[in-house]
Amino acid sequence: MTEPTFATLVSRWYEQNARDLPWRGPDVGAWAILVSEVMLQQTPVVRVLPAWHAWLQRWPTPAALAADTPAEAIRMWGRLGYPRRAVRLRDCAVAIVDRHGGAVPERLEQLLALPGVGTYTARAVAAFAYGQRHPVVDTNVRRVISRAVAGEPDAGPATRPSDLVACEELLPAEPAAAALASAAFMELGAVVCTARTPRCAACPVEAVCAWRASGQEAPAGPTRRPQRYAGTDRQVRGLLLGVLREATGPVGHQRLDQVWHDDVQRARALAGLVKDGLVEPVGEESFRLIGDGPAAQPVG
């Protein structure tokens, strides 16, 4: 009898143990999956869940979002983090309407051509929305393959072309089975083969794991040093953006000056928001979220 492949072992485990996440439902469309993939970038599932539901309730189709303003996308994004993703997602919706009649395209090259859609997101949508055979490689997948196949405790800080090759070599030939395996690899890395506390006894490939066979231990600390937040420009940007999200019109310097005590840092953070296309000046003394309607009297 032929031994089950690596992908088969992980896929069987996934079918019995996968988390019940709404974007994995059988009737979820490509737009909802695209939104989930953008939101899940550098953001935990627990924070994404309510934001994903709220976003799709308001904008159930790309056309609905494309018809709204970038400012409303930023407002709806709330405190999910990395708000440029909201603007990119709205730009993506506009491109989907303009180029593809409002339907998320199926072909990988078309997905890659959408604004803000990179290598990972394009392959994830092609695999999970359309059941195609593509290597879908995130941090979790890289860790699983590095440990189980290469015998290394960590995959390093960045995705390389060789990671896509290594993942594709493990995928079944049949597209639907490959898409399932891609989801299974990700899930295994997220909940079992974690960075610091892997649950090897619960792993479906423990018996064939090259890292376990080598006897190496997991890294003692995080693979990436956590970014400091308190007192950084990122915190100041968040505070400024919070005021502008709540405003119904342009906000004057007097109000924005109350957000942060350091004038130089505050000015630098505000300039960064303008440069990133999240905020725009109105006249010389006030600001608003990008595309937030006609000019009005400044608040404060």
Side-chain angles (χ1 to χ4, degrees):
M1 180 180 293
T2 304
E3 292 294 325
T5 66
F6 183 90
T8 298
L9 291 171
V10 181
S11 295
R12 288 175 180 171
W13 167 86
Y14 177 82
E15 290 179 315
Q16 297 296 320
N17 298 278
R19 290 170 293 177
D20 183 16
L21 300 177
W23 42 84
R24 291 175 174 169
D27 299 323
V28 174
W31 171 242
I33 290 173
L34 173 58
V35 171
S36 75
E37 291 297 342
V38 173
M39 287 186 169
L40 286 165
Q41 295 168 11
Q42 304 182 70
T43 308
V45 167
V46 67
R47 293 185 60 202
V48 168
L49 281 168
W52 181 83
H53 283 294
W55 188 279
L56 290 172
Q57 183 175 10
R58 180 166 181 176
W59 298 305
T61 64
L65 177 57
D68 217 328
T69 65
E72 287 306 302
I74 296 170
R75 285 195 174 95
M76 198 67 181
W77 199 260
R79 298 187 179 278
L80 201 56
Y82 304 99
R84 275 180 291 180
R85 291 181 292 172
V87 177
R88 289 173 182 156
L89 192 50
R90 194 258 177 188
D91 290 342
C92 184
V94 171
I96 289 171
V97 171
D98 291 345
R99 303 175 195 172
H100 306 288
V104 177
E106 296 186 29
R107 289 164 45 193
L108 181 61
E109 60 269 28
Q110 293 175 327
L111 288 164
L112 286 168
L114 294 174
V117 174
T119 297
Y120 165 79
T121 303
R123 284 169 170 76
V125 173
F128 305 147
Y130 296 118
Q132 298 175 14
R133 186 183 187 275
H134 296 290
V136 183
V137 179
D138 69 351
T139 300
N140 292 316
V141 174
R142 291 174 58 243
R143 187 187 314 112
V144 167
I145 295 175
S146 177
R147 288 176 176 173
V149 179
E152 298 294 334
D154 185 70
T159 301
R160 302 159 296 184
S162 59
D163 295 319
L164 291 173
V165 174
C167 181
E168 186 167 15
E169 289 176 347
L170 295 173
L171 296 178
E174 201 277 317
L180 175 64
S182 291
F185 294 165
M186 293 176 63
E187 186 76 347
L188 186 67
V191 302
V192 173
C193 192
T194 55
R196 286 192 289 174
T197 55
R199 300 189 295 116
C200 294
C203 182
V205 292
E206 181 189 18
V208 296
C209 178
W211 176 55
R212 287 286 285 172
S214 73
Q216 297 182 69
E217 296 182 357
T223 55
R224 296 184 184 181
R225 179 175 296 178
Q227 294 183 342
R228 182 173 61 90
Y229 181 74
T232 63
D233 284 5
R234 185 179 164 209
Q235 181 188 16
V236 183
R237 284 165 58 103
L239 294 171
L240 291 167
L241 207 57
V243 171
L244 293 166
R245 275 200 309 267
E246 297 298 323
T248 56
V251 179
H253 269 296
Q254 183 177 356
R255 173 68 183 89
L256 294 176
D257 289 349
Q258 300 173 23
V259 164
W260 194 251
H261 60 279
D262 186 323
D263 294 344
V264 174
Q265 187 178 22
R266 187 180 62 251
R268 183 172 65 240
L270 185 57
L273 291 172
V274 172
K275 181 179 179 181
D276 289 344
L278 296 170
V279 171
E280 60 186 359
V282 181
E284 297 183 357
E285 296 296 329
S286 58
F287 296 83
R288 67 185 179 192
L289 296 179
I290 190 77
D292 198 19
Q297 292 299 313
V299 179

